[in-house]
Amino acid sequence: QTISSTSTINNVTNLKVRLYNAKINNEINGNWITVPAGTVQEARLKAKAKRRLRKNSSRDSGRGDSLSDNGDTVRFGPPPTSPKGKVLDRRSRQGKGRGLPKKGGAGGKGVWGTPGQVYEDEQQVDVRDPNYDEDQENCVYETVVLPLDEDAFVRTVTPIVKEYFEHGDAYEVAELLSELNLGTMRSDVPLLAVSLAMEAKASHRELTSRLLSHLCGRVLTHSEVEAAFHKLLQELPDLVLDTPTAPRLVGQFIARAVADHILPTNFVEGYKGRVDCGHTRAALDRAAVLLKMRRETGLRIDNLWGLGGGQRPVNQLIKEVNLLLKEYVLSGDVAEAECCLRELEVPHFHHQFVYEAIVMVLESSGDTTLRMILKLLKPLYDSSVITVDQMRRGYERVYMDIADINIDVPCAYSLLEYFVDQSFSSGVIDKNLRDLCPCR
């Protein structure tokens, strides 16, 4: 049974009282009796224990310390800990809990909840708050996007247009432009697009015409498109310095815009008698001629720039490849053939060019065509106009179709084997591709 510290102190006090009374009685009787040494030693031990209890009472109160009969301190609870250890001990003093921080770490000074906690409830405004402003309840906060200046406009819109030339998605361009605050630079979007297209390929000009038709009514108004073409005609003298054919190209853009109904039909007629610049007059004359041919002969201006790249039908591409090879065999101009192949803008279709060239060699008579085709394939392969993958795919297609080709050309196997050996000797193909050549 645990004895409290108060009981221990009372026992010591009672012992001292008894000793004092015994001393008084001895003095009264006149008999001075010497107190035994053991009794004095016992009193000193008990007094020392009392001082120790007083010293540790504030720190170890409630731990159940008491004195034994021989004056030793008896502890019935856990040993006392230092103040430092007491601070680090996070366990409950009542023996409850798992040692976790209180309130899951959400308690404490300056803490407004657990980490990552989001208060979704709207905070009610206190009208008694000294900082309360009555106008705050009617305020609407919106994100303000500053309008673009000329330099920021060119830096922002130019990458958008150039990226459009790669993917051809007009919807994405319209979405990107709608997120910008173009301000007074809105009418410069068609001007910038046409200026970039004139320095690019015909397929990019076709994409630009489609882009202008798509943006009109969604991002741009008809008046803004018309203002852009007016400004384009005014800047023609500067555009001619970079693109000598700018007047003819601008005239075609104007005719295409009129055909797409994004420019009024009287746009060209409105300039009659009011043009002093020769470049502007040439552009308007080109547009007037195309529009007149559209009315009288039914010319399709909507296909004015033609279809570029992979947008053309496969049969049309095959015909153009065959025509290119036939012109090369007659002229022997490798540079012109390479330029025409680049203008087709179909690098993924170059295997068809290799296939048609080998078939032409197999169907020809004599070694002239064979030598000319090898003379053409070698520089195209070295300059990476035709990649290794496209070259290999073209040869493999001939290997697969050699059985059908042999029906029309009886000696096709021997001719193919000879051509493959010559191609390997010239460095057009590797040894693995040469070994795949079929034989009869």
Side-chain angles (χ1 to χ4, degrees):
Q1 182 178 359
T2 304
I3 304 175
S4 62
S5 300
T6 305
S7 301
T8 305
I9 296 172
N10 292 335
N11 293 336
V12 175
T13 304
N14 293 334
L15 178 61
K16 292 178 67 178
V17 170
R18 289 196 300 270
L19 291 174
Y20 180 75
N21 291 336
K23 180 179 180 181
I24 294 299
N25 293 334
N26 292 337
E27 184 178 1
I28 291 174
N29 297 334
N31 300 322
W32 294 93
I33 303 174
T34 303
V35 180
T39 305
V40 176
Q41 183 67 20
E42 182 180 357
R44 288 179 179 177
L45 292 175
K46 292 182 179 180
K48 186 176 180 181
K50 178 183 177 181
R51 288 195 301 271
R52 188 184 301 129
L53 288 174
R54 286 179 179 176
K55 183 178 180 181
N56 298 331
S57 60
S58 61
R59 186 175 60 193
D60 301 328
S61 59
R63 294 188 179 274
D65 298 338
S66 62
L67 292 175
S68 62
D69 294 340
N70 57 0
D72 296 334
T73 304
V74 180
R75 299 181 182 274
F76 296 92
T81 57
S82 64
K84 184 176 180 181
K86 186 176 181 180
V87 173
L88 297 177
D89 189 7
R90 303 173 64 181
R91 293 177 296 179
S92 175
R93 297 180 181 178
Q94 299 179 358
K96 300 178 180 179
R98 296 176 296 166
L100 300 177
K102 187 183 294 184
K103 298 183 181 179
K109 185 177 180 180
V111 180
W112 290 2
T114 58
Q117 182 177 358
V118 179
Y119 296 93
E120 298 180 355
D121 298 337
E122 297 182 0
Q123 300 295 330
Q124 298 296 332
V125 180
D126 188 3
V127 296
R128 294 174 296 180
D129 189 350
N131 296 324
Y132 172 74
D133 187 1
E134 185 179 357
D135 297 335
Q136 290 181 352
E137 298 183 4
N138 299 326
C139 291
V140 178
Y141 299 94
E142 295 181 354
T143 303
V144 178
V145 181
L146 297 178
L148 299 177
D149 55 5
E150 185 175 357
D151 295 337
F153 172 79
V154 175
R155 291 195 309 268
T156 305
V157 180
T158 300
I160 295 177
V161 177
K162 290 184 177 180
E163 186 178 357
Y164 167 71
F165 289 160
E166 300 297 331
H167 58 72
D169 190 355
Y171 290 94
E172 182 178 351
V173 178
E175 183 178 357
L176 293 176
L177 293 178
S178 61
E179 296 176 356
L180 302 176
N181 187 1
L182 299 175
T184 57
M185 306 295 296
R186 190 178 298 274
S187 60
D188 290 347
V189 174
L191 175 61
L192 180 60
V194 172
S195 300
L196 294 175
M198 287 192 298
E199 300 176 358
K201 304 174 183 178
S203 59
H204 296 164
R205 297 166 194 154
E206 173 65 23
L207 290 174
T208 302
S209 296
R210 295 183 182 182
L211 177 63
L212 297 180
S213 179
H214 181 81
L215 295 180
C216 186
R218 293 180 173 86
V219 180
L220 306 174
T221 61
H222 287 79
S223 59
E224 291 171 345
V225 175
E226 185 176 357
F229 276 94
H230 286 308
K231 189 180 296 185
L232 184 64
L233 290 174
Q234 295 174 2
E235 296 184 0
L236 260 181
D238 297 333
L239 295 176
V240 171
L241 299 178
D242 297 329
T243 308
T245 59
R248 179 177 61 84
L249 297 177
V250 171
Q252 295 180 188
F253 271 112
I254 293 175
R256 176 64 181 271
V258 173
D260 292 340
H261 306 290
I262 60 177
L263 283 181
T265 55
N266 58 352
F267 179 83
V268 178
E269 298 176 358
Y271 276 91
K272 285 186 176 180
R274 298 190 301 109
V275 179
D276 297 332
C277 179
H279 299 300
T280 304
R281 190 181 301 109
L284 293 173
D285 291 343
R286 175 65 175 172
V289 169
L290 292 175
L291 292 174
K292 183 178 180 180
M293 294 176 62
R294 175 173 174 263
R295 290 192 302 266
E296 296 180 357
T297 63
L299 176 66
R300 294 187 57 184
I301 300 182
D302 56 347
N303 195 20
L304 184 64
W305 307 107
L307 296 176
Q311 299 178 353
R312 281 174 287 190
V314 176
N315 293 334
Q316 181 180 355
L317 288 175
I318 295 176
K319 291 179 180 178
E320 293 184 5
V321 167
N322 287 327
L323 181 62
L324 190 158
L325 290 172
K326 291 178 181 179
E327 291 180 354
Y328 165 72
V329 171
L330 294 176
S331 64
D333 191 348
V334 178
E336 180 66 20
E338 180 179 351
C339 181
C340 294
L341 183 61
R342 290 178 181 271
E343 289 180 356
L344 290 179
E345 301 179 29
V346 284
H348 60 282
F349 201 66
H350 285 173
H351 62 86
Q352 183 68 32
F353 178 84
V354 177
Y355 176 85
E356 296 293 341
I358 299 175
V359 171
M360 180 178 291
V361 171
L362 298 181
E363 294 178 350
S364 64
S365 57
D367 296 339
T368 304
T369 305
L370 185 146
R371 290 195 302 269
M372 295 188 67
I373 293 298
L374 285 177
K375 182 182 177 182
L376 176 62
L377 294 180
K378 176 61 176 177
L380 293 178
Y381 178 78
D382 293 339
S383 61
S384 298
V385 175
I386 299 179
T387 62
V388 177
D389 179 68
Q390 293 294 317
M391 185 71 71
R392 182 181 185 86
R393 187 176 178 184
Y395 273 81
E396 289 178 349
R397 287 185 57 194
V398 176
Y399 294 168
M400 294 174 60
D401 297 343
I402 188 62
D404 297 334
I405 298 175
N406 189 66
I407 297 176
D408 299 329
V409 183
C411 56
Y413 280 96
S414 58
L415 291 175
L416 178 61
E417 186 177 357
Y418 178 73
F419 179 78
V420 169
D421 291 337
Q422 294 297 321
S423 300
F424 174 73
S425 301
S426 302
V428 177
I429 61 175
D430 55 8
K431 183 177 182 299
N432 294 331
L433 187 58
R434 185 199 64 175
D435 295 341
L436 293 176
C437 178
C439 57
R440 184 182 296 275

